[in-house]
Amino acid sequence: MTTPKTFHVKSFGCQMNVYDGERMAELMAARGLTATADTDAADLVVLNTCHIREKATEKVYSEIGRLKREDGSRPMIAVAGCVAQAEGQEIARRARVDVVVGPQAYHNLPELVARAAEGKLALDTDMPAASKFAALPSRRKVGPSAFLTVQEGCDKFCTYCVVPYTRGAEVSRPFDAIVDEAKALVDAGAREITLLGQNVNAWDDEQGRGLHGLIVALDRIGGLERIRYTTSHPNDMREGLIRAHAEVGKLMPFLHLPVQSGSDRILKAMNRSHSRDSYLRILERVRAARPDIALSGDFIVGFPGETEAEFADTLSLVEQVGYAQCFSFKYSPRPGTPAAEMTEDFVAAQVMDERLQRLQAALNTSQLAFNQASLGRTCDVLIERPGKLPGQRVGKSPWLQSVHLETEAPIGAMVRVEIVQAGPNSLGGVASEPVPA
């Protein structure tokens, strides 16, 4: 196989995978390869996989099969990410791929590609402690909103989750390295930075600054207008971070704090370290610090043994909290996790389907109510991309709502907008004036 000259990275799943995909693209570009949006034109296709969603592994094999071209040829194929970490050599055995690289080793991608070009299988699923970041190239031009990984891995071992096995133990990146990358992102065009981690609020350093101390430091960066963070764990929602929502003006009024279930028995079976009541008390403290905060979360329906009454507890929690947006999923077993062994308690597929439909209906009602409460409000919107209509732009409100408006403001501008329309998934606004830089 010849050395590739063009490449395409396709990322699945969470924001951290988006970040990893961007960094892999930067790695390949730094080695002289040219990015292309067309997989048929790519000499190298990198499938940056996620192991969270249902049937994730089988979807990877389907993607590999689709890369075969009409003339029988195929590009060089690299499988990266969490499925690569979990499956390893099995992927190479089952499918015709050239590179298999885990999420902690993708900084070695150029060397692995060179090895594959020599006709050798290139596999790397080692888990060095965050050393990959030092090997990544400097950030180049980015959009107005950028991701920045500050923490990886998980020590919580929820019984349904494969992340501790695919991403490893919790590791916090060094404080100075994060601040330096944030400055580089701002220099490259970012006005908003979202800090990422499997448990981002577990970030800490030897000085005990915690995520709130890191946010305070980022608040001092000139040109950075907005700070966000995701995903958080209730166990790590410390008082300093809650206080930061009241004290740091650049920290946006949005909190993604997964709860997974409204039933204490199910939460215990999931090995979640919080109860329904302790979760609600955290939200009370957050709302006391920032009354206008938008709340988001994750829910799993049909966890092994979940009864109708326990599912009703989840519905009542949704009504009690009033979420601005949420993600919801049917339980699906992940090999190697304790919940996957609870086969006698599996909930029937049709029951899970029906419960998910009811949960999503409740969440959609909650999201629409939150959006409708924005009518008449004036807020700053960060313009992120062109809209589908002529002269239209799409941006984000402080509460992470998509806002459609007509304006001549360029991408990356901050515009003051009056909200005049509210739908289930987005808002419509009228621009009044650019926000002074």
Side-chain angles (χ1 to χ4, degrees), residues 205-219:
D205 65 357
E206 294 179 353
Q207 299 183 35
R209 282 177 276 206
L211 187 64
H212 59 282
L214 179 60
I215 288 171
V216 168
L218 298 183
D219 181 58

Side-chain angles (χ1 to χ4, degrees), residues 335-415:
T337 60
E341 305 301 318
M342 303 176 186
T343 54
E344 294 183 0
D345 295 325
F346 279 4
V347 177
Q350 63 268 29
V351 174
M352 283 199 284
D353 288 339
E354 189 271 339
R355 287 178 184 172
L356 184 63
Q357 290 177 16
R358 281 193 283 158
L359 174 60
Q360 290 181 339
L363 292 171
N364 290 341
T365 297
S366 182
Q367 181 169 321
L368 178 60
F370 183 86
N371 286 346
Q372 288 176 333
S374 299
L375 286 169
R377 170 184 275 166
T378 298
C379 64
D380 295 342
V381 171
L382 177 60
I383 304 299
E384 294 185 338
R385 58 183 172 86
K388 294 181 179 180
L389 303 177
Q392 189 183 63
R393 295 283 190 270
V394 182
K396 285 292 193 301
S397 77
W399 302 274
L400 206 62
Q401 300 151 303
S402 291
V403 183
H404 297 76
L405 65 150
E406 291 186 9
T407 178
E408 296 180 356
I411 305 301
M414 196 80 73
V415 179

Side-chain angles (χ1 to χ4, degrees), residues 82-268:
C82 289
V83 174
Q85 186 69 42
E87 298 293 317
Q89 190 75 40
E90 178 68 8
I91 294 176
R93 188 188 70 80
R94 284 188 57 182
R96 191 179 172 194
V97 301
D98 306 283
V99 176
V100 180
V101 59
Q104 301 294 10
Y106 68 73
H107 58 293
N108 295 323
L109 182 59
E111 288 72 25
L112 295 170
V113 167
R115 180 178 174 84
E118 297 174 356
K120 304 171 184 175
L121 172 66
L123 186 147
D124 190 345
T125 53
D126 287 344
M127 284 192 176
S131 63
K132 67 182 180 188
F133 294 103
L136 295 174
S138 299
R139 304 307 302 265
R140 299 182 178 181
K141 184 175 176 60
V142 298
S145 183
F147 294 130
L148 171 52
T149 293
V150 303
Q151 180 272 342
E152 287 194 287
C154 183
D155 296 343
K156 305 299 189 287
F157 287 93
C158 298
T159 56
Y160 55 82
C161 186
V162 74
V163 167
Y165 311 101
T166 59
R167 289 275 182 172
E170 288 180 357
V171 176
S172 295
R173 289 183 65 189
F175 178 92
D176 290 342
I178 295 169
V179 173
D180 287 345
E181 186 170 341
K183 290 177 179 177
L185 286 169
V186 173
D187 290 343
R191 299 191 71 179
E192 173 183 281
I193 291 177
T194 300
L195 308 179
L196 300 179
Q198 265 79 40
N199 294 307
V200 68
N201 57 340
W203 184 90
D204 210 348
D205 65 357
E206 294 179 353
Q207 299 183 35
R209 282 177 276 206
L211 187 64
H212 59 282
L214 179 60
I215 288 171
V216 168
L218 298 183
D219 181 58
R220 302 189 187 105
I221 297 176
L224 179 60
E225 302 293 331
R226 291 178 166 184
I227 302 169
R228 302 184 188 273
Y229 62 92
T230 194
T231 292
S232 297
H233 193 287
N235 192 53
D236 297 312
M237 203 66 202
R238 303 183 182 97
E239 195 58 40
L241 183 56
I242 294 174
R243 193 168 60 248
H245 278 281
E247 298 174 351
V248 180
K250 293 181 183 179
L251 182 58
M252 292 295 96
F254 186 92
L255 173 63
H256 182 70
L257 192 66
V259 60
Q260 305 300 358
S261 173
S263 161
D264 281 343
R265 191 192 73 81
I266 293 297
L267 290 172
K268 186 174 181 180

Side-chain angles (χ1 to χ4, degrees), residues 69-89:
R69 293 161 181 166
E70 290 184 2
D71 62 1
S73 66
R74 66 174 185 88
M76 181 185 290
I77 300 172
V79 179
C82 289
V83 174
Q85 186 69 42
E87 298 293 317
Q89 190 75 40

